[in-house]
Amino acid sequence: MRDTALDMPKAADLLAWYDAHARDLPWRVSPGDRAAGVMPDPYRVWLSEVMLQQTTVAAVKSYFERFTTLWPTVGDLAAAPDAQVMGEWAGLGYYARARNLLKCARVVAEDHGGVFPTTREGLVALPGIGPYTAAAISAIAYDAPEVVVDGNVERVMARLHDIRTPLPAAKPELTEAAAALTPAARAGDYAQAVMDLGATVCTPKNPACGICPWIGACAARAAGVQAELPYKTPKKPKPTRLGITYVAQRADGALLLETRPDKGLLGGMLGWPGSEWNEAPNPAPPLEADWQDIGEEARHTFTHFHLRLRVQVAHVPQAAHPARGEFLPKSAFRPSDLPTVMRKVFDLAQGALAKGDAG
C-alpha cells in the first residue's frame, strides 16, 4: 500500500496535464472551450457513453459521427424507425444497448421535453442508464462532482495506491480511492482527465511512467509493480454453444430473414431463422426445402460464450410460405444491417447460393 514518503496525488496536477494533453474526441468539449463557457451537450455525452460500453474509442468514433449526423438531437433519435437505428448500430455489438438507447431517447423526448435530467438520480431512472453512465453524464455534462470509475480509472487508482486486491473484488476500494480525489470544481474535466491518463499514459502494458503527472505519487511504481496491476481474478473458460442457421433465397432473389425477439441476445435485430443455441441443437428449418449444409461454420464469440453455427442454404420457389420470417427483396437487403454473427453467416452462404444459381 501507499508509502507515506510519497507525494500526495493532487487533482490540480492531473488537470494541468489534461489542459495540455486532452484527447480530441468528437463528443468532447475541450478544456479550453469549457473554460470559455462552452458546455457539453448532454445528448452527445450520453450517446458516447452508451456506445463506449464494452467498446473502444477507435471503434466508436465513426458510429458516433454517423449517429449524430443522422439524428442531431435526442428528439431526432426518438423519432427514428427502430430498424434503421438497429441497422446503424450493427457491428458495435451488445445490442441490448441499442434497444435501450431508443427507449431512453423516447422517454427523454416524451416525458422530459427533450431535456436530460440534471441529477444523477434523475438520470439513473432512465432506461439503460446505470450508476456509471449516470455519474459520467452528471460529471461531464453538468460538472457535478460525481465519482466516475471505468476500467481506465480502476487501473490508475490500483497503481496510484498500490491496491493489490484482485478485480472485481477491488471495485469498492478503487471507487473509494477515486472518490477521495474527485474535486468539487472542474469535476467533468477531471473525470475525463483520469480516463485519458489511463488510456494514453497509464496503459495496461508498458505504462509511460516518465510522462505521468502523478509519477511522484504512484505507490505501485515506488514498489516496482506498476505494470502488474490491477490484479484480476482468473475468468472461467467460456463454454461453446452450437446452432443451425438457414439462408433461403427465393426465385426472385429475395432472402428469408426474421426480426429476433426484443428480449435476449441480438434482440430486435435482423437475422437468419435458425435453431436454438445449445450443446445439441435440434433442426428448425423455417420452411420445407432442399436444405444443403455448406460444410462450413460461422464462428463468433459473445461475452459469455463461443458460438458455432452450421449454415444451410436453399433455393425456394416464388410461392414459398415460410413458417417464420419474411422474404426481403434483394434491392432492400443490406448486409450491413445484420449483426456481425449474421453477416458472417451471409458471407459463407452467398458463395453456396451463387453456385446454386449457376447450376
Side-chain angles (χ1 to χ4, degrees):
M1 294 299 290
R2 170 164 297 282
D3 183 340
T4 53
L6 292 168
D7 296 339
M8 290 304 296
K10 296 181 179 67
D13 293 336
L14 182 63
L15 285 166
W17 172 85
Y18 179 70
D19 289 342
H21 302 286
R23 288 181 292 176
D24 181 14
L25 301 174
W27 49 83
R28 177 179 284 179
V29 172
S30 71
D33 286 345
R34 190 153 187 162
V38 179
M39 290 300 290
D41 179 354
Y43 168 63
R44 293 170 71 88
V45 175
W46 162 73
L47 182 60
S48 67
E49 287 296 335
V50 174
M51 286 185 167
L52 285 164
Q53 293 167 15
Q54 307 290 333
T55 315
T56 65
V57 166
V60 162
K61 282 183 179 179
S62 61
Y63 283 88
F64 178 86
E65 289 169 341
R66 191 162 66 248
F67 263 67
T68 50
T69 298
L70 289 168
W71 305 295
T73 70
V74 70
D76 295 326
L77 180 59
D82 289 38
Q84 186 184 9
V85 174
M86 298 302 284
E88 292 296 337
W89 189 273
L92 266 179
Y94 303 91
Y95 293 96
R97 293 181 298 163
R99 297 196 300 275
N100 284 327
L101 194 79
L102 272 172
K103 290 177 186 176
C104 184
R106 288 164 182 167
V107 169
V108 171
E110 295 166 12
D111 298 349
H112 297 274
V115 179
F116 278 84
T118 58
T119 65
R120 185 178 182 277
E121 292 72 20
L123 289 164
V124 83
L126 296 173
I129 294 186
Y132 165 77
T133 304
I137 297 170
S138 295
I140 297 169
Y142 301 122
D143 231 9
E146 296 287 349
V147 183
V148 183
V149 183
D150 69 353
N152 283 314
V153 178
E154 287 177 343
R155 183 168 60 257
V156 170
M157 292 300 137
R159 291 172 175 173
L160 189 61
H161 296 280
D162 193 11
I163 294 171
R164 303 190 186 190
T165 307
L167 284 165
K171 285 181 179 290
E173 193 176 357
L174 296 171
T175 300
E176 183 180 350
L181 283 167
T182 300
R186 296 190 67 188
D189 281 347
Y190 174 80
Q192 294 172 104
V194 187
M195 294 180 198
D196 276 15
L197 186 70
T200 64
V201 174
C202 195
T203 50
K205 295 181 180 179
N206 303 315
C209 300
I211 59 172
C212 178
W214 277 339
I215 184 173
C218 184
R221 183 175 186 276
V225 296
Q226 69 272 22
E228 300 173 21
L229 297 180
Y231 294 135
K232 295 181 181 180
T233 302
K235 294 181 179 179
K236 295 180 181 178
K238 291 183 181 181
T240 297
R241 297 181 188 174
L242 309 177
I244 310 167
T245 191
Y246 300 89
V247 182
Q249 187 170 51
R250 205 167 56 186
D252 63 355
L255 293 161
L256 181 61
L257 289 144
E258 65 177 2
T259 300
R260 295 177 64 85
D262 282 341
K263 293 185 178 180
L265 209 55
L266 307 183
M269 298 294 293
L270 275 180
W272 309 106
S275 69
E276 293 184 351
W277 300 345
N278 52 39
E279 293 181 357
N282 292 316
L287 76 171
E288 289 189 14
D290 181 19
W291 293 103
Q292 301 293 318
D293 194 306
I294 68 170
E296 294 183 84
E297 293 180 332
R299 299 191 177 195
H300 192 71
T301 295
F302 293 100
T303 309
H304 301 297
F305 65 94
H306 303 292
L307 178 64
R308 292 165 46 191
L309 290 175
R310 286 170 46 203
V311 180
Q312 299 198 1
V313 301
H315 287 273
V316 298
Q318 192 68 22
H321 291 290
R324 293 167 52 191
E326 296 181 359
F327 281 99
L328 187 68
K330 191 174 183 179
S331 60
F333 174 67
R334 298 190 309 169
S336 60
D337 287 347
L338 298 171
T340 303
V341 64
M342 295 299 173
R343 283 208 308 275
K344 290 178 179 179
V345 169
F346 179 68
D347 289 344
L348 293 174
Q350 61 180 335
L353 290 170
K355 288 179 183 177
D357 286 336

